[in-house]
């Protein structure tokens, strides 16, 4: 459980910085290289299994690279394709990190999901200082340039991320909603469609996994966008704790109602925290296995739920440690040994 500190580098952006902590007690699972590729199990159901990655570790860390290559067929940039890293300085685009991830995926026959064109949580400081007319120009330029750069190289884009408010109906107040008005969401999709007509365009959010006010708002938003031909899919983030998460039946019902709109659905950023599960390490890990199994099975049960992406894959590198506190939320431990959670996901794909 390496701790990632969310350093608030000014404005709304926050970036990862790694801080080493003592290793968690090792679990006696088999090494990443000694378990069957998870991607094969997912492919048996026609599904993609994805992971968020950092380009700096691909190629430089043998176990990280090996496990990513062996087990996944869909990659997402955990950080490097957001606005802040790509256009830290106005008008200067740095595609190096995203390009490395796309090159890596292409050379291994994996697909890529771009993440994310518009997210208030990864907006460079200079964006916050723009007047509304300047913001409109920057917004249009960013979406056109980035989606255009990755045209035909990404399978899908998270176009707008986390636009719905947590505590009141409707849109969250952000630099975009304030400066551009509520139609900025539709506008982002229109611009992305024009820049990359083949990409699946996704609305992505958290806290909208089950059936609740926020997921109703997401439903209504994407229903409207779908009727206007602007959105193709929805991502349900699924950053959950094994001690409190939506009822699996509600998750499945929510996936189903979104699918019934004609949308593709994906579980887009899954991790399962276990710190608060009562009992010893083995109990926590078994509970985590069950949660992974049940949630992935809810996706497998709906034909249009085409992908599950995990927000990382090894407990050595998870954003959870910095954001929620030290935990072990992923499928492989720090030594890249398959945890019970790995087998829970496998069970879901093999319908066990
Ligand atoms: C997080 C990354 O995991 C961190 O490394 C980075 O510092 C901040 O962003 N919802 C999202 C993701 O849509 O983009 C976030 O990723 C986690 C929450």
């Amino acid at each position: 459980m390496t701790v990632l500190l969310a350093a608030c580098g000014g404005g709304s952006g926050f970036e990862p910085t790694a801080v080493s902590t003592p290793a968690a007690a090792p679990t006696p699972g088999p090494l990443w290289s000694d378990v069957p590729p998870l991607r094969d199990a997912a492919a048996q159901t026609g599904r993609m299994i994805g992971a968020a990655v950092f380009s700096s570790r691909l190629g430089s860390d043998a176990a990280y690279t090996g496990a990513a290559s062996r087990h996944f067929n869909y990659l997402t940039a955990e950080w490097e394709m957001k606005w802040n890293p790509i256009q830290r300085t106005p008008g200067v685009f740095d595609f190096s990190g995203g390009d490395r991830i796309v090159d890596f995926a292409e050379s291994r026959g994996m697909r890529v999901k771009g993440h994310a064109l518009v997210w208030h949580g990864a907006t460079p400081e200079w964006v916050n200082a723009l007047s509304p007319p300047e913001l409109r120009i920057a917004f249009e330029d960013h979406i056109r340039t980035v989606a255009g750069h990755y045209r035909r190289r990404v399978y899908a884009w998270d176009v707008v991320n986390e636009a719905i408010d947590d505590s009141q109906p409707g849109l969250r107040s952000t630099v975009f909603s304030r400066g551009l008005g509520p139609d900025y969401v539709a506008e982002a999709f229109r611009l992305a469609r024009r820049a990359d007509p083949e990409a699946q365009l996704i609305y992505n959010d958290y806290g909208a996994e089950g059936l609740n006010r926020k997921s109703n708002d997401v439903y209504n938003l994407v229903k409207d966008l779908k009727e206007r031909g602007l959105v193709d899919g929805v991502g349900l983030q699924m950053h959950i704790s094994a001690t409190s998460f939506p009822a699996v039946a509600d998750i499945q019902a929510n996936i189903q109602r979104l699918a019934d709109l004609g949308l593709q659905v994906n579980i887009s950023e899954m991790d399962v925290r276990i710190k608060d599960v009562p009992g010893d390490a083995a109990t926590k890990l078994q509970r985590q296995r069950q949660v992974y199994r049940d949630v992935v099975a809810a996706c497998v049960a709906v034909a249009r739920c085409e992908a599950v992406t995990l927000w990382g894959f090894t407990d050595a590198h998870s954003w959870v440690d910095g954001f929620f506190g030290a935990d072990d939320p992923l499928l492989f431990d720090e030594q890249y040994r398959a945890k019970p959670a790995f087998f829970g996901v496998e069970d879901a794909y093999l319908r066990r």
Side-chain angles (χ1 to χ4, degrees):
M1 60 185 127
T2 299
V3 171
L4 284 179
L5 292 181
C8 292
S12 51
F14 55 104
E15 299 177 35
T17 48
V19 174
S20 223
T21 58
T27 50
L31 263 185
W32 65 270
S33 46
D34 294 334
V35 283
L38 204 50
R39 57 191 277 171
D40 291 352
Q44 282 191 30
T45 70
R47 302 305 202 286
M48 292 183 281
I49 175 85
V53 295
F54 279 90
S55 73
S56 52
R57 296 191 188 109
L58 293 172
S60 66
D61 175 333
Y64 186 92
T65 311
S69 308
R70 181 175 175 82
H71 292 292
F72 302 98
N73 54 19
Y74 199 26
L75 295 187
T76 303
E78 186 168 342
W79 176 248
E80 288 146 295
M81 287 166 81
K82 294 170 183 166
W83 191 325
N84 196 342
I86 284 192
Q87 201 189 165
R88 185 177 288 280
T89 308
V92 181
F93 290 82
D94 176 3
F95 294 112
S96 55
D99 286 359
R100 278 195 298 271
I101 291 171
V102 175
D103 290 344
F104 180 91
E106 282 176 350
S107 69
R108 287 164 176 77
M110 301 162 149
R111 285 173 168 157
V112 174
K113 177 167 53 178
H115 173 85
L117 292 171
V118 178
W119 182 36
H120 62 277
T123 318
E125 181 58 33
W126 63 266
V127 171
N128 298 317
L130 299 176
S131 68
E134 290 168 338
L135 177 63
R136 182 161 300 278
I137 291 168
F139 176 83
E140 293 181 0
D141 183 46
H142 183 79
I143 296 173
R144 267 196 217 114
T145 306
V146 177
H149 178 84
Y150 287 109
R151 181 172 181 188
R152 300 210 174 87
R153 300 192 73 193
V154 297
Y155 171 79
W157 263 111
D158 286 334
V159 176
V160 177
N161 192 28
E162 303 184 352
I164 296 291
D165 200 79
D166 286 327
S167 50
Q168 55 187 15
L171 293 182
R172 179 194 298 276
S173 171
T174 67
V175 60
F176 302 113
S177 69
R178 290 188 300 271
L180 306 173
D183 207 40
Y184 87 89
V185 176
E187 193 50 38
F189 278 89
R190 253 183 240 117
L191 290 159
R193 184 73 89 205
R194 254 179 254 136
D196 186 351
E198 292 92 25
Q200 180 189 118
L201 303 185
I202 296 176
Y203 176 77
N204 192 55
D205 215 327
Y206 69 87
E209 290 85 2
L211 296 173
N212 55 37
R213 195 231 89 224
K214 189 167 177 180
S215 74
N216 290 344
D217 278 11
V218 168
Y219 178 86
N220 290 327
L221 176 73
V222 296
K223 181 170 187 290
D224 174 61
L225 293 171
K226 172 70 177 163
E227 282 162 7
R228 295 150 79 185
L230 295 174
V231 71
D232 308 308
V234 182
L236 307 174
Q237 291 187 6
M238 207 66 73
H239 295 292
I240 56 178
S241 161
T243 55
S244 71
F245 61 102
V248 172
D250 286 359
I251 294 173
Q252 190 174 320
N254 191 36
I255 293 173
Q256 187 66 59
R257 70 174 173 164
L258 293 165
D260 290 344
L261 292 174
L263 296 167
Q264 301 296 322
V265 183
N266 66 108
I267 292 177
S268 56
E269 307 186 9
M270 187 165 182
D271 42 39
V272 180
R273 306 188 294 278
I274 51 172
K275 178 175 53 129
D276 297 333
V277 174
D280 59 11
T283 308
K284 291 174 194 271
L285 293 171
Q286 283 308 319
R287 179 77 194 119
Q288 187 177 47
R289 172 181 183 150
Q290 190 67 40
V291 175
Y292 267 107
R293 197 207 72 87
D294 292 350
V295 171
V296 174
C299 174
V300 172
V302 180
R304 282 186 201 271
C305 190
E306 61 172 2
V308 175
T309 291
L310 309 162
W311 214 236
F313 52 92
T314 163
D315 291 335
H317 305 295
S318 167
W319 83 299
V320 162
D321 293 329
F323 196 80
F324 292 101
D327 215 308
D328 292 310
L330 293 165
L331 303 193
F332 296 93
D333 70 12
E334 298 205 346
Q335 288 77 40
Y336 296 84
R337 294 177 188 280
K339 294 163 59 185
F342 173 92
F343 299 100
V345 175
E346 186 182 56
D347 281 351
Y349 286 123
L350 301 180
R351 300 180 199 273
R352 293 191 292 225

Short mmCIF file of all heavy atoms in Angstrom, two decimals, residues 140-179:
data_model
loop_
_atom_site.label_atom_id
_atom_site.label_comp_id
_atom_site.label_asym_id
_atom_site.label_seq_id
_atom_site.Cartn_x
_atom_site.Cartn_y
_atom_site.Cartn_z
N GLU A 140 -13.17 24.64 -26.30
CA GLU A 140 -13.32 24.09 -27.66
C GLU A 140 -11.98 23.62 -28.20
O GLU A 140 -11.86 22.54 -28.77
CB GLU A 140 -13.93 25.16 -28.59
CG GLU A 140 -15.37 25.49 -28.22
CD GLU A 140 -16.03 26.52 -29.13
OE1 GLU A 140 -15.35 27.01 -30.08
OE2 GLU A 140 -17.21 26.85 -28.89
N ASP A 141 -10.96 24.43 -27.97
CA ASP A 141 -9.62 24.10 -28.49
C ASP A 141 -9.08 22.82 -27.84
O ASP A 141 -8.54 21.95 -28.52
CB ASP A 141 -8.69 25.29 -28.20
CG ASP A 141 -7.32 25.08 -28.76
OD1 ASP A 141 -7.22 24.65 -29.92
OD2 ASP A 141 -6.33 25.33 -28.03
N HIS A 142 -9.28 22.71 -26.54
CA HIS A 142 -8.75 21.53 -25.84
C HIS A 142 -9.42 20.26 -26.35
O HIS A 142 -8.75 19.27 -26.69
CB HIS A 142 -8.93 21.67 -24.33
CG HIS A 142 -8.34 20.52 -23.58
ND1 HIS A 142 -6.98 20.41 -23.33
CD2 HIS A 142 -8.89 19.39 -23.08
CE1 HIS A 142 -6.74 19.28 -22.69
NE2 HIS A 142 -7.89 18.63 -22.53
N ILE A 143 -10.73 20.27 -26.40
CA ILE A 143 -11.44 19.05 -26.82
C ILE A 143 -11.09 18.69 -28.26
O ILE A 143 -10.76 17.54 -28.57
CB ILE A 143 -12.97 19.23 -26.65
CG1 ILE A 143 -13.30 19.42 -25.16
CG2 ILE A 143 -13.73 18.03 -27.22
CD1 ILE A 143 -14.74 19.77 -24.87
N ARG A 144 -11.12 19.69 -29.14
CA ARG A 144 -10.79 19.42 -30.56
C ARG A 144 -9.38 18.89 -30.72
O ARG A 144 -9.15 17.92 -31.43
CB ARG A 144 -10.86 20.74 -31.34
CG ARG A 144 -12.18 20.97 -31.95
CD ARG A 144 -12.06 22.08 -33.02
NE ARG A 144 -13.26 22.86 -32.96
CZ ARG A 144 -13.34 24.14 -32.59
NH1 ARG A 144 -12.25 24.80 -32.27
NH2 ARG A 144 -14.50 24.74 -32.55
N THR A 145 -8.45 19.51 -30.03
CA THR A 145 -7.04 19.13 -30.24
C THR A 145 -6.76 17.75 -29.66
O THR A 145 -6.11 16.92 -30.29
CB THR A 145 -6.11 20.19 -29.59
OG1 THR A 145 -6.48 21.47 -30.11
CG2 THR A 145 -4.66 19.90 -29.87
N VAL A 146 -7.27 17.49 -28.47
CA VAL A 146 -6.94 16.21 -27.81
C VAL A 146 -7.70 15.06 -28.47
O VAL A 146 -7.11 14.03 -28.81
CB VAL A 146 -7.23 16.29 -26.29
CG1 VAL A 146 -6.96 14.95 -25.62
CG2 VAL A 146 -6.36 17.39 -25.66
N ALA A 147 -8.99 15.24 -28.68
CA ALA A 147 -9.76 14.16 -29.32
C ALA A 147 -9.26 13.96 -30.75
O ALA A 147 -9.21 12.82 -31.24
CB ALA A 147 -11.25 14.47 -29.29
N GLY A 148 -8.87 15.04 -31.41
CA GLY A 148 -8.33 14.93 -32.76
C GLY A 148 -7.00 14.19 -32.77
O GLY A 148 -6.75 13.34 -33.62
N HIS A 149 -6.15 14.48 -31.81
CA HIS A 149 -4.84 13.81 -31.73
C HIS A 149 -5.00 12.30 -31.61
O HIS A 149 -4.25 11.54 -32.21
CB HIS A 149 -4.07 14.36 -30.53
CG HIS A 149 -2.73 13.71 -30.33
ND1 HIS A 149 -1.60 14.11 -31.01
CD2 HIS A 149 -2.36 12.64 -29.57
CE1 HIS A 149 -0.58 13.34 -30.65
NE2 HIS A 149 -1.01 12.45 -29.78
N TYR A 150 -5.97 11.88 -30.81
CA TYR A 150 -6.12 10.43 -30.56
C TYR A 150 -7.16 9.78 -31.46
O TYR A 150 -7.50 8.62 -31.26
CB TYR A 150 -6.43 10.19 -29.08
CG TYR A 150 -5.21 10.42 -28.22
CD1 TYR A 150 -5.12 11.52 -27.37
CD2 TYR A 150 -4.13 9.56 -28.29
CE1 TYR A 150 -4.00 11.76 -26.61
CE2 TYR A 150 -2.99 9.78 -27.54
CZ TYR A 150 -2.93 10.89 -26.71
OH TYR A 150 -1.80 11.11 -25.97
N ARG A 151 -7.61 10.50 -32.47
CA ARG A 151 -8.61 9.95 -33.39
C ARG A 151 -8.12 8.62 -33.97
O ARG A 151 -6.98 8.48 -34.37
CB ARG A 151 -8.86 10.94 -34.52
CG ARG A 151 -9.91 10.41 -35.46
CD ARG A 151 -10.33 11.45 -36.50
NE ARG A 151 -11.36 10.82 -37.33
CZ ARG A 151 -11.87 11.35 -38.41
NH1 ARG A 151 -11.47 12.53 -38.81
NH2 ARG A 151 -12.78 10.71 -39.11
N ARG A 152 -9.00 7.65 -34.00
CA ARG A 152 -8.73 6.28 -34.49
C ARG A 152 -7.77 5.50 -33.59
O ARG A 152 -7.45 4.36 -33.87
CB ARG A 152 -8.18 6.28 -35.92
CG ARG A 152 -9.13 6.91 -36.91
CD ARG A 152 -8.96 6.28 -38.29
NE ARG A 152 -9.97 6.78 -39.19
CZ ARG A 152 -9.82 7.90 -39.90
NH1 ARG A 152 -8.71 8.60 -39.83
NH2 ARG A 152 -10.79 8.31 -40.69
N ARG A 153 -7.27 6.09 -32.55
CA ARG A 153 -6.35 5.37 -31.65
C ARG A 153 -6.99 5.03 -30.32
O ARG A 153 -6.47 4.21 -29.59
CB ARG A 153 -5.06 6.18 -31.45
CG ARG A 153 -4.34 6.43 -32.78
CD ARG A 153 -2.95 6.96 -32.57
NE ARG A 153 -2.06 5.92 -32.08
CZ ARG A 153 -0.85 6.15 -31.56
NH1 ARG A 153 -0.43 7.40 -31.45
NH2 ARG A 153 -0.10 5.16 -31.16
N VAL A 154 -8.09 5.69 -30.01
CA VAL A 154 -8.82 5.29 -28.80
C VAL A 154 -10.16 4.69 -29.19
O VAL A 154 -10.80 5.12 -30.16
CB VAL A 154 -9.04 6.45 -27.79
CG1 VAL A 154 -7.73 6.98 -27.28
CG2 VAL A 154 -9.88 7.56 -28.40
N TYR A 155 -10.57 3.71 -28.43
CA TYR A 155 -11.86 3.06 -28.66
C TYR A 155 -12.99 3.93 -28.11
O TYR A 155 -14.08 3.98 -28.66
CB TYR A 155 -11.83 1.71 -27.95
CG TYR A 155 -13.15 0.97 -27.90
CD1 TYR A 155 -13.61 0.28 -29.02
CD2 TYR A 155 -13.93 0.98 -26.75
CE1 TYR A 155 -14.81 -0.41 -28.98
CE2 TYR A 155 -15.13 0.30 -26.69
CZ TYR A 155 -15.57 -0.39 -27.82
OH TYR A 155 -16.76 -1.06 -27.77
N ALA A 156 -12.69 4.60 -27.02
CA ALA A 156 -13.72 5.38 -26.32
C ALA A 156 -13.07 6.57 -25.62
O ALA A 156 -11.86 6.57 -25.38
CB ALA A 156 -14.45 4.51 -25.30
N TRP A 157 -13.88 7.55 -25.31
CA TRP A 157 -13.44 8.70 -24.49
C TRP A 157 -14.41 8.92 -23.34
O TRP A 157 -15.63 8.94 -23.57
CB TRP A 157 -13.45 10.00 -25.31
CG TRP A 157 -12.13 10.41 -25.88
CD1 TRP A 157 -11.78 10.41 -27.20
CD2 TRP A 157 -10.99 10.92 -25.14
NE1 TRP A 157 -10.49 10.87 -27.33
CE2 TRP A 157 -9.99 11.19 -26.09
CE3 TRP A 157 -10.72 11.14 -23.78
CZ2 TRP A 157 -8.74 11.68 -25.72
CZ3 TRP A 157 -9.47 11.63 -23.43
CH2 TRP A 157 -8.49 11.90 -24.39
N ASP A 158 -13.90 9.10 -22.17
CA ASP A 158 -14.69 9.73 -21.12
C ASP A 158 -14.69 11.22 -21.46
O ASP A 158 -13.68 11.91 -21.29
CB ASP A 158 -14.07 9.52 -19.74
CG ASP A 158 -14.24 8.09 -19.24
OD1 ASP A 158 -15.22 7.44 -19.66
OD2 ASP A 158 -13.41 7.64 -18.43
N VAL A 159 -15.81 11.70 -21.98
CA VAL A 159 -15.85 13.08 -22.48
C VAL A 159 -16.04 14.04 -21.32
O VAL A 159 -15.32 15.02 -21.17
CB VAL A 159 -16.97 13.25 -23.53
CG1 VAL A 159 -17.07 14.71 -23.98
CG2 VAL A 159 -16.71 12.34 -24.72
N VAL A 160 -17.04 13.76 -20.49
CA VAL A 160 -17.27 14.61 -19.32
C VAL A 160 -17.28 13.69 -18.10
O VAL A 160 -17.91 12.64 -18.09
CB VAL A 160 -18.61 15.37 -19.43
CG1 VAL A 160 -18.88 16.17 -18.17
CG2 VAL A 160 -18.60 16.28 -20.65
N ASN A 161 -16.55 14.11 -17.07
CA ASN A 161 -16.38 13.32 -15.86
C ASN A 161 -16.95 14.07 -14.66
O ASN A 161 -16.64 15.25 -14.47
CB ASN A 161 -14.87 13.09 -15.67
CG ASN A 161 -14.55 12.04 -14.63
OD1 ASN A 161 -15.33 11.12 -14.38
ND2 ASN A 161 -13.38 12.17 -14.00
N GLU A 162 -17.83 13.41 -13.91
CA GLU A 162 -18.28 13.92 -12.61
C GLU A 162 -18.99 15.27 -12.68
O GLU A 162 -18.74 16.16 -11.87
CB GLU A 162 -17.10 13.99 -11.63
CG GLU A 162 -16.41 12.65 -11.45
CD GLU A 162 -15.28 12.68 -10.41
OE1 GLU A 162 -14.94 13.76 -9.92
OE2 GLU A 162 -14.75 11.60 -10.10
N ALA A 163 -19.93 15.40 -13.61
CA ALA A 163 -20.63 16.69 -13.76
C ALA A 163 -21.84 16.83 -12.83
O ALA A 163 -22.32 17.94 -12.62
CB ALA A 163 -21.08 16.88 -15.20
N ILE A 164 -22.36 15.71 -12.31
CA ILE A 164 -23.56 15.78 -11.49
C ILE A 164 -23.20 16.07 -10.03
O ILE A 164 -22.24 15.52 -9.49
CB ILE A 164 -24.37 14.46 -11.60
CG1 ILE A 164 -24.86 14.25 -13.04
CG2 ILE A 164 -25.54 14.42 -10.61
CD1 ILE A 164 -25.94 15.20 -13.50
N ASP A 165 -24.01 16.92 -9.39
CA ASP A 165 -23.74 17.32 -8.01
C ASP A 165 -24.00 16.17 -7.03
O ASP A 165 -24.83 15.30 -7.28
CB ASP A 165 -24.62 18.51 -7.63
CG ASP A 165 -24.05 19.25 -6.44
OD1 ASP A 165 -23.10 20.02 -6.63
OD2 ASP A 165 -24.55 19.03 -5.31
N ASP A 166 -23.27 16.19 -5.90
CA ASP A 166 -23.44 15.12 -4.90
C ASP A 166 -24.67 15.34 -4.03
O ASP A 166 -25.35 14.39 -3.64
CB ASP A 166 -22.23 15.08 -3.96
CG ASP A 166 -21.02 14.49 -4.65
OD1 ASP A 166 -21.22 13.60 -5.51
OD2 ASP A 166 -19.90 14.91 -4.35
N SER A 167 -24.95 16.59 -3.68
CA SER A 167 -25.95 16.80 -2.64
C SER A 167 -27.22 17.48 -3.10
O SER A 167 -28.20 17.54 -2.37
CB SER A 167 -25.32 17.61 -1.50
OG SER A 167 -24.68 18.73 -2.03
N GLN A 168 -27.22 18.01 -4.31
CA GLN A 168 -28.47 18.61 -4.80
C GLN A 168 -28.67 18.23 -6.25
O GLN A 168 -27.71 17.97 -6.97
CB GLN A 168 -28.45 20.12 -4.62
CG GLN A 168 -27.26 20.78 -5.26
CD GLN A 168 -27.17 22.25 -4.92
OE1 GLN A 168 -27.83 22.72 -4.00
NE2 GLN A 168 -26.37 22.99 -5.66
N PRO A 169 -29.92 18.21 -6.69
CA PRO A 169 -30.21 17.79 -8.06
C PRO A 169 -29.51 18.68 -9.08
O PRO A 169 -29.34 19.88 -8.85
CB PRO A 169 -31.74 17.95 -8.18
CG PRO A 169 -32.24 17.98 -6.78
CD PRO A 169 -31.15 18.54 -5.93
N GLY A 170 -29.12 18.08 -10.16
CA GLY A 170 -28.56 18.86 -11.27
C GLY A 170 -27.05 18.88 -11.31
O GLY A 170 -26.38 18.10 -10.64
N LEU A 171 -26.54 19.83 -12.09
CA LEU A 171 -25.10 19.87 -12.32
C LEU A 171 -24.34 20.43 -11.13
O LEU A 171 -24.82 21.31 -10.41
CB LEU A 171 -24.80 20.76 -13.54
CG LEU A 171 -25.27 20.27 -14.91
CD1 LEU A 171 -24.83 21.26 -15.99
CD2 LEU A 171 -24.71 18.88 -15.22
N ARG A 172 -23.15 19.93 -10.94
CA ARG A 172 -22.21 20.45 -9.97
C ARG A 172 -21.75 21.84 -10.45
O ARG A 172 -21.61 22.07 -11.65
CB ARG A 172 -21.02 19.48 -9.96
CG ARG A 172 -19.87 19.79 -9.05
CD ARG A 172 -18.68 18.93 -9.44
NE ARG A 172 -18.93 17.50 -9.30
CZ ARG A 172 -18.80 16.82 -8.14
NH1 ARG A 172 -18.40 17.45 -7.07
NH2 ARG A 172 -19.04 15.53 -8.10
N SER A 173 -21.51 22.71 -9.50
CA SER A 173 -20.97 24.02 -9.85
C SER A 173 -19.47 23.89 -10.06
O SER A 173 -18.72 23.56 -9.13
CB SER A 173 -21.28 25.02 -8.73
OG SER A 173 -20.58 26.21 -8.97
N THR A 174 -19.01 24.09 -11.29
CA THR A 174 -17.57 24.01 -11.59
C THR A 174 -17.19 25.19 -12.46
O THR A 174 -18.06 25.95 -12.91
CB THR A 174 -17.23 22.73 -12.40
OG1 THR A 174 -17.83 22.86 -13.70
CG2 THR A 174 -17.72 21.47 -11.72
N VAL A 175 -15.91 25.29 -12.74
CA VAL A 175 -15.44 26.35 -13.63
C VAL A 175 -16.19 26.27 -14.97
O VAL A 175 -16.50 27.29 -15.58
CB VAL A 175 -13.90 26.26 -13.81
CG1 VAL A 175 -13.47 24.92 -14.41
CG2 VAL A 175 -13.37 27.40 -14.65
N PHE A 176 -16.56 25.07 -15.38
CA PHE A 176 -17.23 24.91 -16.68
C PHE A 176 -18.71 25.31 -16.61
O PHE A 176 -19.20 26.01 -17.49
CB PHE A 176 -17.08 23.46 -17.17
CG PHE A 176 -15.65 23.05 -17.31
CD1 PHE A 176 -15.09 22.08 -16.48
CD2 PHE A 176 -14.82 23.66 -18.24
CE1 PHE A 176 -13.77 21.72 -16.59
CE2 PHE A 176 -13.48 23.30 -18.36
CZ PHE A 176 -12.95 22.32 -17.52
N SER A 177 -19.42 24.85 -15.58
CA SER A 177 -20.84 25.19 -15.51
C SER A 177 -21.01 26.69 -15.26
O SER A 177 -21.92 27.32 -15.80
CB SER A 177 -21.54 24.38 -14.41
OG SER A 177 -21.11 24.78 -13.13
N ARG A 178 -20.10 27.26 -14.47
CA ARG A 178 -20.23 28.69 -14.17
C ARG A 178 -19.88 29.55 -15.39
O ARG A 178 -20.55 30.52 -15.70
CB ARG A 178 -19.34 29.07 -12.99
CG ARG A 178 -19.84 28.52 -11.65
CD ARG A 178 -19.02 29.09 -10.48
NE ARG A 178 -17.61 28.77 -10.56
CZ ARG A 178 -17.06 27.65 -10.04
NH1 ARG A 178 -17.80 26.78 -9.40
NH2 ARG A 178 -15.76 27.43 -10.17
N GLY A 179 -18.83 29.15 -16.09
CA GLY A 179 -18.35 29.98 -17.21
C GLY A 179 -19.10 29.74 -18.51
O GLY A 179 -19.21 30.65 -19.33
#
